[in-house]
Amino acid sequence: MTQITIASPQAQTRSERYQHPSRLTLTLRYLRRNKSLVIGLAIALALALFSIVGSLTIDTEKLAYPLAVKPKQPPSPEYPLGTDFFGRDMLAVMVRGVWQTAVIGLIAGAIGTGVGVVLGFLSAYYGGAVDTLIRGITEVLLPIPAFLILVIIAGSIDRRSVTIYTMALIVSLLAWMGPTRIMRAQVLSLKERLFVNVAKLSGMGNLEIVFKEILPNMLPFILASFVSGVFAGIFSSFGLSVLGLGPLREPLIGNTIWFAQQQAAFFNGWWWWPLWPTLALILIFVSLTLINIGLDELANPRVRRTE
Amino acid sequence: MSQAKPVLRVVDLQVSYYTEAGRALALDRASLELYPGEKLGMVGESGCGKSTMALAMMRMIKPPGRIEGGQVFIDDVDLMTLPEPKMRKARLSLISYIPQGAMNSLNPVLRIEAQMRDAIKEHLPTMRDAEVQARIYEALESVELRREVARMYPHELSGGMKQRVCIAIGILLGPKVIIADEPTSALDVVTQRQVMETLDRVQKQLGAAMILIGHDMGLMAQFVDKVAVMYAGKFTEISPVRDIFTNPLHPYARALIESLPTLNNKGVFKGIPGLAPSLINRPPGCTFHPRCPEAMEICKSVPPALIHRWDGRQVACYLYDHDGRRADEPAAVSAR
Amino acid sequence: MKIGYLIRRLLFLFAVVWVAATLVFFIPRLSTRNPIRERFAEIARSTGFAPKDLEQIIAAYEVKFGLNKPLLEQYVEYMGGVLRGDLGPSLTRFPVTVLDLILTALPWTIGLLVVTTLIAFALGNLLGALASWPRSPAFIKGLMAPLMMLQAIPAYLLGLLLIFFIAFRLRLLPMGGAYSQGVLPSFTLEFILDAARHQVLPAISLILASVGFWALGMRGMGMTIQGEDYVTFAEHKGLNPFTIFTRYYMRNALLPQITGLALAFGNIIVSGVLVEQLYGLPGLGGVLGDAILKNDYFVIYGITLFVILAIAILMFLMDLIYPLLDPRIRYES
């Protein structure tokens, strides 16, 4: 009778001889492979720098608003990005506008994702009536194009009282449905995983499980959801502004474009007026998309090759 | 049972997979012969090369795999030398393949008859619609399925029915060689029997040669004439089914047979020591030697060739001399 | 088709429409703005003339529009109106009703959106399918990355770039408008060609912005399907590559894409509205932008409701069509 033995005499020595590289090296190596993430972050960083350095060196308080400088000037050494019909320095407009657009996006993204995490979590963890209620509301609201409701909301508000922060809040109102769905699905799948049951068996309280076991595993999805939320927030606020529903006093990118269109900028030959905002916004969207793709790869362990 | 000329002759077929970790030799110059009407069972551990051989014969090896050499003769046509369009014609009409796990092998959005019709139309474009329809019904009848099945969609059929549809497709054009790759692995025992009986009957009707791939020795015992035992891409032994069970020649074949639980020694499980060999770093000489209880010095350096014995059995092992006689066997052994 | 499925989808449709209509009703009334009052204030401002009995006139109009009735009663009347298709009058173009404005603008929007969606869907899916097919030429696979970047950019911005480069710089195509100035709409060939020329840039903007979406989705689908056993078995049957590509590959991959089409309706229409605004086309987008500018609230609310309704109905129709295409769904309980 032969006994079954597992023979692998060479395995042990190999692992002993393998030295683990430092965390920094691993991160750098990973970043080199995830070009999407790197490029996306680089563009975002460049834009942020532009805005920050710009606001420190230029008097945007004055120059980004009407009647500050000579109007309708093409780009020149004095006005590197030209000036618009109302006498705003386009450079100052861009510096301020990029910043404001980003702020709206960040606020909307944060609120949308935050609410999404809470609701999705409540829905999945407690199930039953809570789940049905939250799910029902989410499902019915999703097909309704949020943008149109935003149009109504923005249209009903006294336009003189709209500020950037009001805008951000409006945009956040309907930003939570998507994240809720995703978070709920994630929590549902994690709830069933072994390590949660193990934690329960070992006597961990519910709250402890939430913070120590479930949330950390949801981090990549929360991050991705946040980035998507920022994207959607900027997109919605852009859509509203470009229809004329934004806080018109501010040099928000969408507002600038709206003004330019209203004054038939291209027709009149003032090409620089709508062009810079367009390019800047395209860069913002591209950077966010790249970051999203990069995060996708990070979150999906099957796609990511481990070191 | 056997006639003068074999209908299928595989000569030194070699297939490798080129992976990041290196080149894995999956099929190491395998050769075999099959006569019309003969049923051969191919057994071996998972990953030993059985399916690779089947796919190679159909010339369906995809990158990173590559067919590196060998010939596959059906009658006198070497499939390996055919241009791709001709090979496409040969598939299903000369040699057909019944897949493992028919669950997913049928197109979910087409009716059964549509999937059979496009196969027929591809190979026999001039056949009249009425004839095509008749063929379809004929094929379904021979696998004991009602005509109504033709109008159904795959998701309306049970697992066993789907497998039988695949068999029906496999015999549509009356091929000379049929390869059935683990046709019953995913089925329950009762359905298994039904499907095997269908396969048996269909093969007899056509008079085709059949290769049945699997690892269920019990199933093999009931249905095939010869058994070919494969290990790490090489045939270790090819013998008539009775002989394999009563007197296996190759130590690996013997270990396989002995590992089958019997009613006598319940609760006692015998395995084969060691692990399946890496196909990238193959052991030198005979690939089985690290796990062979009777390994000798020569086994570690030179791979043994597959020898044809006087009794028709084939074995690749140094325990047998170049006539195929065992070193310690009496000289006179009765031929089968 | 299963009646239960039909009824469930119908109920969902009604739920969505009801919620949307309610939102459209209540949100404006949450603010303190009074559209009638504002309208008169504006007329007074622009003409410099205010009738002495302004308050009484406003009160009379309020009665006419039912704004003095209790909220619940207004709500019921409003819902009734919606069901009848009465969306109220346009404030700035009184007595033209909101519905009239919408119906005049609708053909332009439908024309643009239907054509661009069909082209983008067909082209995108074909490119995506080819990109995942191993035997395709390399340049198709290389197209995926730029297409992916393109679809991240809203059609409006792409439109602006197109106007800048092609209309402004190269003067190849008009900068906006549905037809050249001074031309009267008529069914002559000349007019049709002129109008077509004006649709080119808007169409390209919309198509470029959405092709990537379909292509990527299809490519992902294609990769999944390629590994499916039935594609391999089709090869085992000796079928030629074209047959396998169309009957076994595309037919299966296209189904989820069609579901995606239904879900994308909202985005398509919103993009379309914005692009119309950009190019000054007389479709729904143009009317909406105009209404916002002139504070014509009834038009704003009316168009919004109309669009939501349209999307909900389209999605419902898609729900009905899908089982006809996918035999598996037909028999699901």
Side-chain angles (χ1 to χ4, degrees):
Chain A
M1 254 197 279
T2 41
Q3 299 295 317
I4 300 175
T5 55
I6 300 184
S8 45
Q10 291 147 330
Q12 264 165 338
T13 358
R14 271 193 83 203
S15 77
E16 277 168 6
R17 278 186 264 132
Y18 184 65
Q19 292 281 70
H20 285 272
S22 69
R23 268 195 112 158
L24 183 64
T25 327
L26 281 174
T27 320
L28 285 174
R29 254 195 248 171
Y30 177 72
L31 284 176
R32 200 163 10 122
R33 271 180 305 137
N34 196 347
K35 294 199 198 83
S36 199
L37 192 57
V38 174
I39 300 181
L41 285 173
I43 299 180
L45 209 63
L47 286 169
L49 269 168
F50 168 74
S51 218
I52 296 176
V53 170
S55 50
L56 291 175
T57 52
I58 309 177
D59 181 11
T60 52
E61 282 291 328
K62 175 161 158 277
L63 293 172
Y65 295 89
L67 301 177
V69 291
K70 206 157 128 204
K72 305 184 237 170
Q73 298 300 304
S76 61
E78 194 188 348
Y79 305 116
L81 293 181
T83 69
D84 74 354
F85 179 81
F86 298 105
R88 288 188 272 227
D89 183 346
M90 284 310 293
L91 185 57
V93 165
M94 288 315 302
V95 165
R96 212 135 204 225
V98 166
W99 175 247
Q100 291 178 333
T101 310
V103 163
I104 293 185
L106 289 170
I107 295 180
I111 295 182
T113 309
V115 171
V117 167
V118 170
L119 282 183
F121 179 79
L122 286 174
S123 192
Y125 203 70
Y126 291 107
V130 173
D131 185 21
T132 322
L133 182 67
I134 294 183
R135 233 189 354 148
I137 299 179
T138 313
E139 290 300 317
V140 171
L141 283 179
L142 265 177
I144 302 179
F147 182 72
L148 295 171
I149 304 287
L150 292 178
V151 167
I152 299 212
I153 298 177
S156 309
I157 295 182
D158 186 356
R159 245 159 274 154
R160 282 160 294 172
S161 65
V162 176
T163 67
I164 313 174
Y165 302 104
T166 328
M167 190 88 177
L169 282 171
I170 296 176
V171 164
S172 315
L173 274 174
L174 289 168
W176 52 270
M177 283 101 66
T180 303
R181 231 208 211 171
I182 298 178
M183 294 302 141
R184 176 179 172 274
Q186 275 311 301
V187 176
L188 272 182
S189 89
L190 284 175
K191 202 168 74 150
E192 300 310 316
R193 296 260 201 96
L194 281 177
F195 65 86
V196 173
N197 290 327
V198 166
K200 270 199 180 137
L201 286 173
S202 70
M204 263 185 161
N206 264 344
L207 216 61
E208 233 189 311
I209 297 182
V210 167
F211 283 103
K212 285 216 193 132
E213 302 284 345
I214 296 189
L215 276 182
N217 277 283
M218 280 174 46
L219 223 47
F221 294 96
I222 295 182
L223 260 169
S225 195
F226 174 70
V227 173
S228 297
V230 172
F231 188 101
I234 296 184
F235 183 85
S236 296
S237 70
F238 170 69
L240 288 175
S241 313
V242 114
L243 283 176
L245 291 168
L248 292 174
R249 229 177 291 140
E250 302 296 333
L252 218 51
I253 294 185
N255 287 341
T256 312
I257 295 183
W258 184 76
F259 277 121
Q261 284 301 101
Q262 290 303 117
Q263 302 298 327
F266 280 126
F267 209 63
N268 283 308
W270 309 318
W271 54 269
W272 56 92
W273 189 5
L275 190 63
W276 312 131
T278 307
L279 291 176
L281 200 52
I282 290 182
L283 277 178
I284 293 180
F285 282 130
V286 166
S287 125
L288 285 172
T289 307
L290 285 172
I291 295 179
N292 221 347
I293 296 175
L295 283 178
D296 248 349
E297 209 244 54
L298 187 66
N300 191 343
R302 268 175 293 152
V303 176
R304 170 167 54 127
R305 284 182 294 145
T306 46
E307 282 278 58
Chain B
M1 181 170 70
S2 48
Q3 283 160 0
K5 265 193 78 184
V7 67
L8 172 70
R9 230 169 23 102
V10 178
V11 181
D12 286 344
L13 196 53
Q14 178 157 311
V15 173
S16 289
Y17 286 90
Y18 290 83
T19 70
E20 283 170 2
R23 171 181 167 235
L25 185 60
L27 210 58
D28 186 6
R29 299 203 302 163
S31 308
L32 68 80
E33 283 166 2
L34 212 55
Y35 290 87
E38 225 182 1
K39 289 176 291 199
L40 174 77
M42 228 194 271
V43 297
E45 297 170 353
S46 299
C48 71
K50 318 190 290 281
S51 283
T52 306
M53 174 130 187
L55 291 177
M57 285 197 275
M58 301 283 289
R59 254 174 69 181
M60 294 271 298
I61 300 280
K62 302 236 169 86
R66 220 160 35 105
I67 300 181
E68 292 172 323
Q71 299 152 306
V72 175
F73 292 98
I74 298 198
D75 284 339
D76 289 317
V77 181
D78 181 7
L79 297 179
M80 297 294 129
T81 59
L82 291 178
E84 182 62 25
K86 284 233 167 68
M87 184 66 217
R88 277 206 293 270
K89 279 265 139 89
R91 291 192 193 115
L92 208 68
S93 58
L94 277 186
I95 175 170
S96 79
Y97 178 86
I98 298 171
Q100 184 176 9
M103 306 310 129
N104 227 11
S105 296
L106 296 171
N107 190 339
V109 297
L110 292 178
R111 294 184 203 268
I112 301 295
E113 63 182 3
Q115 304 188 41
M116 299 177 85
R117 193 178 308 131
D118 58 25
I120 300 180
K121 286 251 155 193
E122 180 73 34
H123 290 91
L124 303 163
T126 53
M127 191 181 261
R128 281 177 358 253
D129 288 344
E131 262 189 79
V132 172
Q133 198 65 20
R135 268 262 177 140
I136 294 179
Y137 288 145
E138 231 181 275
L140 287 176
E141 265 169 35
S142 57
V143 295
E144 290 199 325
L145 286 173
R146 307 183 326 263
R147 288 192 165 196
E148 289 78 50
V149 170
R151 299 278 306 160
M152 291 187 180
Y153 286 95
H155 63 268
E156 300 178 75
L157 305 178
S158 72
M161 291 168 83
K162 279 194 269 210
Q163 189 65 53
R164 277 185 278 168
V165 166
C166 287
I167 297 176
I169 295 180
I171 59 161
L172 262 183
L173 302 173
K176 301 201 173 157
V177 179
I178 301 176
I179 306 177
D181 195 345
E182 305 207 38
T184 58
S185 300
L187 304 170
D188 62 272
V189 193
V190 176
T191 322
Q192 250 184 29
R193 177 156 207 95
Q194 284 174 348
V195 169
M196 287 310 299
E197 282 179 345
T198 307
L199 213 47
D200 201 42
R201 190 184 49 248
V202 143
Q203 181 259 351
K204 279 202 182 59
Q205 262 174 17
L206 277 180
M210 179 176 285
I211 299 182
L212 182 66
I213 300 179
H215 39 64
D216 186 343
M217 297 291 285
L219 211 61
M220 296 292 161
Q222 295 179 48
F223 288 101
V224 304
D225 306 317
K226 281 199 321 218
V227 173
V229 179
M230 192 177 253
Y231 185 80
K234 259 186 117 84
F235 285 123
T236 54
E237 180 175 348
I238 305 181
S239 298
V241 60
R242 267 254 145 98
D243 297 336
I244 272 271
F245 276 87
T246 54
N247 178 26
L249 296 177
H250 195 281
Y252 177 63
R254 189 163 354 109
L256 275 183
I257 303 289
E258 284 182 352
S259 70
L260 288 174
T262 70
L263 290 171
N264 294 329
N265 54 353
K266 272 197 274 206
V268 176
F269 290 107
K270 274 200 282 190
I272 306 177
L275 298 169
S278 154
L279 296 176
I280 299 174
N281 298 313
R282 299 171 75 95
C286 171
T287 18
F288 187 59
H289 86 253
R291 303 163 81 182
C292 182
E294 298 177 69
M296 305 177 286
E297 266 313 305
I298 187 173
C299 304
K300 299 184 190 170
S301 44
V302 186
L306 194 65
I307 309 169
H308 286 249
R309 285 182 13 151
W310 71 93
D311 55 2
R313 300 177 69 173
Q314 299 172 44
V315 64
C317 182
Y318 286 116
L319 288 173
Y320 303 88
D321 60 28
H322 58 89
D323 287 325
R325 219 179 309 261
R326 218 192 145 104
D328 50 4
E329 253 176 1
V333 180
S334 50
R336 196 180 180 275
Chain C
M1 195 183 311
K2 291 263 172 174
I3 295 292
Y5 176 74
L6 190 65
I7 294 188
R8 257 181 302 133
R9 296 323 295 171
L10 210 57
L11 282 176
F12 188 71
L13 170 67
F14 283 142
V16 170
V17 168
W18 177 75
V19 168
T22 308
L23 281 174
V24 174
F25 177 80
F26 276 107
I27 292 177
R29 283 161 178 78
L30 285 177
S31 78
T32 51
R33 294 171 106 177
N34 183 333
I36 312 256
R37 189 177 290 269
E38 283 193 16
R39 183 76 190 114
F40 276 108
E42 202 181 310
I43 295 178
R45 222 183 11 231
S46 54
T47 58
F49 177 73
K52 274 194 303 274
D53 312 316
L54 193 59
E55 281 301 321
Q56 282 175 307
I57 297 181
I58 292 179
Y61 269 106
E62 284 189 357
V63 170
K64 186 173 195 307
F65 286 127
L67 288 176
N68 58 335
K69 295 198 197 134
L71 210 60
L72 207 56
E73 215 181 307
Q74 283 187 50
Y75 181 60
V76 172
E77 264 185 43
Y78 166 81
M79 282 304 198
V82 166
L83 286 171
R84 270 177 292 132
D86 174 13
L87 292 168
S90 157
L91 280 175
T92 51
R93 290 199 235 183
F94 192 83
V96 178
T97 67
V98 172
L99 196 63
D100 287 336
L101 282 176
I102 292 180
L103 289 177
T104 337
L106 205 51
W108 293 98
T109 307
I110 291 184
L112 182 66
L113 289 184
V114 167
V115 170
T116 52
T117 306
L118 282 176
I119 295 180
F121 189 75
L123 191 60
N125 279 320
L126 191 61
L127 283 177
L130 286 174
S132 58
W133 192 244
R135 285 179 249 199
S136 301
F139 82 89
I140 290 192
K141 299 184 196 177
L143 272 179
M144 287 294 119
L147 278 180
M148 176 151 67
M149 283 303 115
L150 269 181
Q151 66 109 356
I153 306 171
Y156 190 97
L157 292 174
L158 285 177
L160 266 169
L161 281 183
L162 281 173
I163 294 181
F164 176 68
F165 284 113
I166 300 189
F168 180 73
R169 267 285 165 78
L170 299 175
R171 306 219 174 258
L172 279 176
L173 287 165
M175 273 192 268
Y179 39 85
S180 305
Q181 283 183 330
V183 175
L184 290 170
S186 53
F187 271 116
T188 62
L189 186 66
E190 214 179 290
F191 176 72
I192 293 179
L193 282 179
D194 185 50
R197 265 190 89 225
H198 282 80
Q199 296 285 332
V200 172
L201 282 186
I204 296 182
S205 316
L206 286 170
I207 293 177
L208 280 181
S210 47
V211 168
F213 179 70
W214 300 119
L216 284 174
M218 189 58 159
R219 184 181 70 153
M221 243 310 94
M223 308 219 116
T224 314
I225 293 208
Q226 247 184 41
E228 293 283 348
D229 292 337
Y230 52 82
V231 173
T232 318
F233 192 47
E235 290 182 71
H236 278 299
K237 291 199 284 191
L239 298 178
N240 69 70
F242 183 74
T243 312
I244 301 183
F245 186 72
T246 48
R247 276 164 76 94
Y248 288 75
Y249 195 65
M250 294 272 318
R251 270 240 202 152
N252 279 282
L254 224 42
L255 288 175
Q257 293 294 92
I258 295 187
T259 317
L261 188 60
L263 294 172
F265 281 141
N267 280 332
I268 294 175
I269 295 188
V270 167
S271 295
V273 162
L274 289 175
V275 165
E276 278 185 334
Q277 223 262 1
L278 172 68
Y279 285 95
L281 296 172
L284 289 179
V287 177
L288 183 62
D290 202 48
I292 292 177
L293 205 53
K294 303 203 181 112
N295 288 327
D296 193 340
Y297 301 106
F298 292 161
V299 174
I300 299 177
Y301 306 148
I303 289 191
T304 308
L305 192 57
F306 182 83
V307 171
I308 296 178
L309 265 155
I311 294 176
I313 294 180
L314 279 172
M315 288 181 71
F316 174 70
L317 286 176
M318 212 38 119
D319 277 337
L320 291 185
I321 295 182
Y322 194 79
L324 293 175
L325 301 167
D326 187 348
R328 287 168 288 188
I329 306 291
R330 236 182 279 177
Y331 296 91
E332 220 110 293
S333 54

